Amino acid sequence: MYSDQTPGLPFMKMHGLGNDFVVFDARAEAIDVTPAMAQAIGHRQFGVGFDQLAVITRGTGDAHLTFYNSDGSLSAACGNATRCIARYLMDESGRDSLHLTTARGDLAAKDAGGGLTSVNMGHPQLNWDEVPLAREMDTLHLPIDGDPVATGMGNPHCTFFVDDAEAVDLSDLGPRAEHDPLYPERTNVQVAQIVGPDHIRMRVWERGVGVTLASGSSSCATAVAAARRGLSGRAVRIDLDGGTLHIDWREDGVWMTGPTAHVFSGTFTPEFLESLT
């Protein structure tokens, strides 16, 4: 789990709009992350706490990224963590663009200027079996109360368009929608309010996590859903609880742009790590 020569396990704490992450850089030495380890580190009282844990390893591109939710489950995509790590790797290398690989696929990242970082999250998955859903249906109008939209961004999403995003009880709607039988792999849940032309207010319930201040893949899914419904154009501003992201659904994929933060670096003690075995 960690090197005998290293007194503990180094990590970084990062966030994108309050969507926070513990990041391991395992390019030099492998780190064996188990579901129990992810759960323990993700506990906000007994560990460090995170929405997702990300592991950087070597890959066919500049780096490969693996993501875990705070319940220990794997996630193929995490947009804000991808942007945070891209910024870290660009600062390290002095480059302004990167080629990253994930279970979602190959992702391009670039410096957007002004301290902002952009990542192409790839093409949305719009067919029922790609999301995936349990059976064939129109992904633009699901047979669920509230008439939500299903979108795949490497992970499944369920987007409800509402009159007032602030008025929705996410702690009630979120878990019900996450575990709806139509979603065999569970789903991320968004409530989205159209504020104006190409301007959306959105709140998020993340699969395996709960309410989060932001979610990159959820923002991408909501922008795609709004454009498909004719509620917005393909380039939108999305205001989340933690701040603002800009999403642009282009011919080459869904680009997401926003700020990132590397808050601190630390080390898990040998005693803490031994307690996980």
Side-chain angles (χ1 to χ4, degrees):
M1 187 179 297
Y2 60 95
S3 169
D4 291 337
Q5 285 72 47
T6 302
L9 177 61
F11 70 94
M12 296 175 282
K13 187 69 184 288
M14 301 179 175
H15 77 81
L17 306 179
N19 187 194
D20 66 328
F21 319 105
V22 164
V23 180
F24 291 135
D25 189 343
R27 289 174 293 171
E29 183 176 358
I31 298 172
D32 179 21
V33 177
T34 65
M37 178 183 181
Q39 287 180 329
I41 293 171
H43 198 290
R44 294 193 181 275
Q45 284 73 43
F46 294 104
V48 171
F50 59 76
D51 291 330
Q52 275 82 30
L53 184 152
V55 182
I56 311 170
T57 54
R58 297 190 183 278
T60 56
D62 294 302
H64 182 80
L65 310 182
T66 303
F67 306 108
Y68 297 82
N69 295 315
S70 58
D71 67 354
S73 61
L74 284 164
S75 179
C78 184
N80 280 325
T82 301
R83 289 191 311 100
C84 287
I85 293 168
R87 170 56 56 189
Y88 166 71
L89 294 174
M90 285 189 290
D91 288 346
E92 175 188 71
S93 64
R95 297 170 53 187
D96 60 7
S97 64
L98 295 171
H99 168 205
L100 304 173
T101 59
T102 67
R104 157 69 164 148
D106 291 9
L107 306 180
K110 65 181 182 180
D111 180 0
L116 304 179
T117 303
S118 296
V119 169
N120 182 350
M121 293 297 292
H123 294 285
Q125 297 154 313
L126 306 180
N127 295 326
W128 71 273
D129 55 340
E130 295 175 325
V131 173
L133 299 175
R135 63 180 186 273
E136 185 173 0
M137 66 188 70
D138 180 6
T139 59
L140 199 53
H141 296 280
L142 297 185
I144 296 175
D145 287 346
D147 188 32
V149 181
T151 311
M153 288 301 308
N155 49 10
H157 295 271
C158 182
T159 306
F160 294 84
F161 289 98
V162 299
D163 292 332
D164 184 357
E166 310 296 339
V168 176
D169 183 359
L170 262 184
S171 63
D172 174 60
L173 174 64
R176 286 192 291 109
E178 176 186 352
H179 295 277
D180 191 283
L182 287 183
Y183 284 91
E185 298 180 4
R186 299 182 296 158
T187 185
N188 298 282
V189 183
Q190 305 87 38
V191 291
Q193 172 188 345
I194 304 300
V195 177
D198 304 323
H199 184 189
I200 298 172
R201 169 72 173 107
M202 187 187 81
R203 298 174 60 220
V204 183
W205 174 277
E206 282 205 83
R207 173 184 64 165
V209 179
V211 176
T212 58
L213 295 180
S215 168
S217 62
S218 290
S219 298
C220 293
T222 294
V224 168
R228 292 180 68 206
R229 281 261 179 108
L231 301 174
S232 73
R234 292 166 68 105
V236 298
R237 165 183 169 172
I238 297 189
D239 293 335
L240 302 110
D241 289 343
T244 297
L245 288 172
H246 293 273
I247 311 297
D248 191 357
W249 183 12
R250 306 176 191 170
E251 291 302 315
D252 63 344
V254 184
W255 283 87
M256 173 179 53
T257 303
T260 62
H262 181 168
V263 183
F264 65 88
S265 296
T267 304
F268 291 109
T269 65
E271 292 78 12
F272 175 75
L273 297 171
E274 290 297 336
S275 74
L276 307 182
T277 60

